[in-house]
């Protein structure tokens, strides 16, 4: 069984102009980092012209589909009946995307089948992570 889940989604980039542009994005979940999800945007979809990936809590994504969640660099909230807004805040500015809530739910169902919510701690390798921290500190 694979320990990584990837799912392509269409994100609608909200710009300051009245138009809304669709951009491809990829949601990624790795059992070796069980608390986090990643959302990556390919180079053509970013201002920098390089792929950009954001990591944030899986719980934040799940909570934000039903009620506003997050106070940091990533914030998630419902938008209408079938969309979820994901905001990415950085020093360069803020990017706001709309994603179909059904796509996010399907992704989260797949992650829960791999690592059930509340059981993430069972998939952590604390000895390995501690060794990596100590190795980097020397």
């Amino acid at each position: 069984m694979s320990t990584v889940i990837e799912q392509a989604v269409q994100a609608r980039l909200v710009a300051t102009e009245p138009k809304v542009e669709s951009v491809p994005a990829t949601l990624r979940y790795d059992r070796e980092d069980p608390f986090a999800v990643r959302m990556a945007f390919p180079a053509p979809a970013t201002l920098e012209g390089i792929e950009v990936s954001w990591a944030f809590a899986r719980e934040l994504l799940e909570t934000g589909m039903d009620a506003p969640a997050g106070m940091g660099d990533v914030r998630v909230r419902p938008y209408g009946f079938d969309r979820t807004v994901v905001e990415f805040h950085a020093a360069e500015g803020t990017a706001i995307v709309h994603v179909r809530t059904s796509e996010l739910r399907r992704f989260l169902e797949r992650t829960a089948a791999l690592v059930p919510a509340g059981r993430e701690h069972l998939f952590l390798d604390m000895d390995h992570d501690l060794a990596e921290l100590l190795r980097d500190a020397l």
Side-chain angles (χ1 to χ4, degrees):
M1 172 188 252
S2 175
T3 63
V4 176
I5 294 171
E6 286 191 345
Q7 180 175 315
V9 296
Q10 281 297 314
R12 298 181 69 197
L13 180 63
V14 179
T16 54
E17 301 172 14
K19 70 177 191 168
V20 176
E21 181 181 336
S22 287
V23 296
T26 302
L27 292 168
R28 186 173 198 276
Y29 181 79
D30 187 339
R31 185 168 64 186
E32 291 185 11
D33 191 4
F35 289 100
V37 296
R38 286 174 173 66
M39 189 170 207
F41 299 91
T46 69
L47 293 174
E48 298 85 8
I50 58 171
E51 181 177 296
V52 174
S53 181
W54 288 79
F56 50 97
R58 175 171 71 161
E59 183 178 17
L60 174 67
L61 185 59
E62 186 169 5
T63 302
M65 290 188 303
D66 297 315
M71 298 177 6
D73 294 342
V74 180
R75 301 171 193 172
V76 184
R77 69 180 188 282
Y79 182 78
F81 175 71
D82 65 343
R83 299 260 180 213
T84 298
V85 173
V86 185
E87 296 180 13
F88 301 99
H89 296 261
E92 300 80 17
T94 301
I96 300 172
V97 296
H98 293 185
V99 182
R100 283 192 180 95
T101 304
S102 60
E103 290 184 294
L104 297 177
R105 287 196 196 286
R106 184 174 60 232
F107 173 73
L108 289 172
E109 287 170 3
R110 293 175 63 207
T111 69
L114 191 61
V115 177
R119 313 275 313 205
E120 293 91 350
H121 65 283
L122 299 175
F123 295 87
L124 293 175
D125 186 349
M126 296 299 270
D127 292 333
H128 175 267
D129 293 344
L130 183 58
E132 287 293 311
L133 283 173
L134 293 174
R135 181 184 59 85
D136 291 344
L138 298 178

